[in-house]
Amino acid sequence: MEQPPRKTRTPWKVILIALGIVLVLGGAAFGYFVFKANETAENTNDALDRGDKSERRDDSIDLTKDHFSVLLAGVDGGALLEEGRTDSLMVATFNKESRQVTLVSIPRDAYVDIVTTDGEFKDKINHAYAYGGIDTTIATVENLFDIPIDYYATINFDGIEDLVDAVGGVEVDVLIPISGRATGNVELEPGVQTLNGKEALAYARMRKDDPEGDVGRAKRQQQVLEAIINEATTINSFAKLNRIMNAVGNNIRTNMTLAEASQLQPYTKSLRSFNQETLKGGDLTIGGVYYYEIDEADLEDKQALLKTELGLPVTAETDTQEESDDNLSETTAY
């Protein structure tokens, strides 16, 4: 009897790594990757309950011909990786014509409509994973941006340490000082420096002491992500490659198959210089609970950006313009 697809299990967004870094190393290294990846494919591949196609797509995606999107998520679930909440969320779009990769970060406390099989309700977006795993998280993000999410990739936070150490550390321009028990007693001063796995994780996760809050943390996470990709895509050591593959196999889950992942190779250069954005907003308190209220105008801008990169029609501006024209006509008539 055929076994049903396993449900998703893990957490974070450095996954552009799993999808880009190791999967696009090229040459002999890529050949070795294929050999090694076959050993870990059973551990890293998890299908979605919805199947292999978003309901917002008429046809399945062909990575050699179509623009596509990937939800990069990091779940802090402790030992039980099937549980927890997404501590980091990014939407990545891959444009086949320009080879541009665009990342839009979603603050973890963003107040949004959580989309479940039982209906919708307002809550923090990082709670979506606890309500229904990666499927509910994807449905919620699709609703937020009004786009299809074609693939996902998740990594647990321990995986960040493993990946950074596997590439031999990453060079980061530290923006703010890091210290205290909340960071695992990691002490960092501002400036360009090479971080090990523990330091990179502390730098990426720290939130409360950042003057910009979630927005500032998103910037730091993007820095760490870019640094890992920069290191991983220049690796020429099989020893390092083996360590990276072990880190990927132990900590990353995705619904992208090995064959599909291998088709990301044309995006290698773009992964080293991608467009980075973060949803803007402000503080909101309801019943004594803190939320991040997304700025509606900025949300429309980000929706338009992602739709443009995916080759989808952008209707918000048209609707707004038509409404403006109608109002102008009424004013003139008056």
Side-chain angles (χ1 to χ4, degrees):
M1 180 177 178
E2 185 177 351
Q3 295 294 319
R6 293 179 297 124
K7 291 187 176 181
T8 194
R9 302 181 181 170
T10 31
W12 206 51
K13 96 225 150 181
V14 166
I15 284 85
L16 201 19
I17 301 169
L19 305 175
I21 100 190
V22 210
L23 307 176
V24 294
L25 293 182
F30 185 76
Y32 174 76
F33 165 76
V34 173
F35 169 77
K36 185 68 178 179
N38 281 320
E39 295 181 351
T40 59
E42 183 69 22
N43 294 328
T44 59
N45 189 260
D46 274 325
L48 292 167
D49 290 343
R50 73 177 191 192
D52 63 358
K53 181 179 73 65
S54 169
E55 293 181 357
R56 293 169 180 261
R57 293 285 193 187
D58 294 328
D59 302 300
S60 296
I61 287 295
D62 181 341
L63 296 186
T64 65
K65 300 177 181 178
D66 301 319
H67 311 303
F68 63 95
S69 64
V70 182
L71 179 66
L72 310 174
V75 178
D76 189 2
L80 297 176
L81 298 178
E82 295 85 352
E83 302 175 0
R85 296 174 180 175
T86 49
D87 204 58
S88 256
L89 280 175
M90 278 187 175
V91 174
T93 58
F94 293 71
N95 186 290
K96 69 177 180 64
E97 294 174 354
S98 65
R99 298 302 183 193
Q100 175 68 52
V101 178
T102 297
L103 292 178
V104 175
S105 295
I106 310 171
R108 53 169 281 165
D109 293 325
Y111 192 53
V112 303
D113 290 316
I114 305 295
V115 180
T116 72
T117 53
D118 297 323
E120 300 180 14
F121 54 90
K122 288 281 190 180
D123 204 341
K124 296 181 180 183
I125 197 166
N126 73 323
H127 290 185
Y129 193 87
Y131 288 121
I134 196 65
D135 282 273
T136 294
T137 303
I138 287 175
T140 298
V141 174
E142 287 187 328
N143 182 68
L144 176 66
F145 288 119
D146 190 28
I147 62 169
I149 296 296
D150 302 305
Y151 298 97
Y152 81 88
T154 62
I155 187 172
N156 66 44
F157 277 105
D158 289 339
I160 302 303
E161 284 196 51
D162 294 343
L163 282 165
V164 171
D165 288 336
V167 300
V170 293
E171 185 175 281
V172 175
D173 185 3
V174 175
L175 302 177
I176 58 175
I178 302 292
S179 64
R181 271 187 294 179
T183 66
N185 294 318
V186 169
E187 303 280 342
L188 295 175
E189 291 298 325
V192 177
Q193 54 203 282
T194 299
L195 307 182
N196 61 28
K198 183 178 181 180
E199 293 168 337
L201 178 58
Y203 181 68
R205 293 191 69 176
M206 194 277 286
R207 179 169 63 108
K208 292 185 178 179
D209 293 332
D210 192 317
E212 294 185 275
D214 271 343
V215 173
R217 187 172 71 157
K219 292 178 182 177
R220 287 181 278 111
Q221 290 173 343
Q222 290 173 338
Q223 280 185 288
V224 173
L225 171 62
E226 187 170 8
I228 294 175
I229 293 172
N230 286 342
E231 290 295 330
T233 53
T234 58
I235 281 177
N236 54 16
S237 163
F238 284 117
K240 281 189 178 182
L241 182 59
N242 188 59
R243 289 196 294 271
I244 293 174
M245 287 310 305
N246 287 335
V248 168
N250 293 334
N251 296 290
I252 288 176
R253 299 293 181 271
T254 177
N255 64 330
M256 184 174 284
T257 66
L258 178 61
E260 289 172 323
S262 67
Q263 294 169 7
L264 293 176
Q265 195 166 7
Y267 292 95
T268 305
K269 291 182 179 179
S270 297
L271 290 176
R272 296 174 62 86
S273 179
F274 43 79
N275 181 26
Q276 304 178 20
E277 303 284 346
T278 300
L279 271 177
K280 298 177 182 177
D283 298 337
L284 173 68
T285 301
I286 301 177
V289 179
Y290 172 80
Y291 298 93
Y292 183 86
E293 185 176 28
I294 298 172
D295 180 271
E296 287 299 322
D298 186 66
L299 175 59
E300 290 182 5
D301 289 343
K302 297 302 189 295
Q303 288 174 334
L305 170 65
L306 294 174
K307 287 179 180 181
T308 299
E309 291 301 308
L310 290 173
L312 301 174
V314 179
T315 58
E317 290 184 8
T318 302
D319 293 342
T320 302
Q321 185 61 48
E322 290 176 352
E323 183 179 338
S324 176
D325 290 343
D326 289 340
N327 292 336
L328 180 60
S329 297
E330 291 176 6
T331 302
T332 302
Y334 179 80

